[in-house]
Amino acid sequence: DQQVKQNSPSLSVQEGRISILNCDYTNSMFDYFLWYKKYPAEGPTFLISISSIKDKNEDGRFTVFLNKSAKHLSLHIVPSQPGDSAVYFCAASSEGSNYKLTFGKGTLLTVNP
Amino acid sequence: DADVTQTPRNRITKTGKRIMLECSQTKGHDRMYWYRQDPGLGLRLIYYSFDVKDINKGEISDGYSVSRQAQAKFSLSLESAIPNQTALYFCATSDLRQGSKTQYFGPGTRLLVL
């Protein structure tokens, strides 16, 4: 049973526009969520996180929104840049699991110049 | 210098061979993890260790073993490699003692089992 789902395998946006990547989860015990970015031939790089006590966290061009009632989070990138083209993974964890990460399958974002 | 290093970066081996993938970190973190990534499947946890004397199985540990030789070193072994172990392997670290729930990844090892 997949506890973290990224239902869009790919997303294509124009440079300068907003990119919105979505993630759904089923385990209500998850209390900490992260987004990672991965370029080919590199390891995942931590991007931004959010605790379940918040509904929004911002870091420069990146904002993560958490809707606990819907068990949904999203990553907004504004404005999108060609260098943002990568695979984005959503991950979730809980205190009960000692903060082991459960990953979604990833979304390939392509930002076109 | 990279905080989390993995060796080798690429490896080709034959079915039945024993191989070891190594991970070292200079971050001083207490927790270390091994993941594999397969196309379309995201990252799945193989083994993890919260301390030198602590080893735990992840969701896909069959066919693998690990050794935590020191706080900074965590190695993954495939005792008898099989073709469906062809994948990207990532090591990661974290340190909850510092209040951080974030894991930091190495660059990965690409393994091909023929």
Side-chain angles (χ1 to χ4, degrees):
Chain A
D1 181 32
Q2 198 180 349
Q3 298 187 67
V4 178
K5 299 178 184 179
Q6 293 178 256
N7 292 318
S8 298
S10 62
L11 175 68
S12 182
V13 300
Q14 286 300 118
E15 182 178 6
R17 298 289 188 101
I18 183 171
S19 295
I20 300 177
L21 295 97
N22 294 303
C23 179
D24 296 295
Y25 61 96
T26 57
N27 187 342
S28 58
M29 300 303 292
F30 287 145
D31 59 14
Y32 194 73
F33 304 88
L34 310 89
W35 284 95
Y36 285 86
K37 178 169 73 173
K38 186 183 179 304
Y39 294 121
E42 294 184 14
T45 301
F46 169 68
L47 201 54
I48 192 169
S49 62
I50 188 166
S51 167
S52 60
I53 62 173
K54 296 185 175 182
D55 54 19
K56 176 182 174 181
N57 189 26
E58 220 171 329
D59 184 1
R61 296 186 297 114
F62 303 91
T63 303
V64 56
F65 295 92
L66 176 62
N67 182 332
K68 290 185 288 293
S69 60
K71 294 191 179 67
H72 177 83
L73 63 156
S74 60
L75 174 68
H76 292 212
I77 306 173
V78 184
S80 300
Q81 299 173 354
D84 295 329
S85 297
V87 176
Y88 288 78
F89 290 101
C90 170
S93 65
S94 66
E95 182 178 5
S97 69
N98 273 306
Y99 293 107
K100 297 195 307 291
L101 296 182
T102 300
F103 283 86
K105 294 183 178 181
T107 297
L108 173 63
L109 174 66
T110 302
V111 180
N112 301 301
Chain B
D1 287 339
D3 295 319
V4 184
T5 57
Q6 293 184 234
T7 55
R9 292 295 314 277
N10 295 279
R11 179 75 184 268
I12 300 174
T13 192
K14 295 182 178 180
T15 297
K17 294 290 187 180
R18 182 181 188 276
I19 67 162
M20 180 182 291
L21 309 183
E22 301 196 13
C23 176
S24 294
Q25 53 119 345
T26 58
K27 300 177 80 69
H29 287 176
D30 58 344
R31 299 182 172 199
M32 298 187 74
Y33 310 80
W34 275 104
Y35 292 87
R36 68 178 274 177
Q37 183 192 7
D38 298 277
L41 289 182
L43 282 84
R44 294 180 292 167
L45 184 63
I46 305 172
Y47 269 96
Y48 60 101
S49 169
F50 286 168
D51 202 346
V52 173
K53 295 181 180 179
D54 176 76
I55 300 289
N56 303 282
K57 293 182 177 181
E59 60 180 304
I60 53 163
S61 59
D62 287 350
Y64 301 95
S65 63
V66 291
S67 174
R68 185 86 184 263
Q69 302 95 319
Q71 186 186 37
K73 295 184 182 296
F74 193 36
S75 59
L76 175 72
S77 294
L78 286 68
E79 298 301 325
S80 179
I82 56 177
N84 77 0
Q85 291 178 312
T86 293
L88 270 171
Y89 290 84
F90 293 102
C91 175
T93 73
S94 68
D95 198 335
L96 209 60
R97 298 171 306 179
Q98 300 176 15
S100 172
K101 303 162 191 171
T102 300
Q103 293 182 23
Y104 298 90
F105 285 80
T109 295
R110 184 175 295 275
L111 175 66
L112 174 61
V113 183
L114 300 175

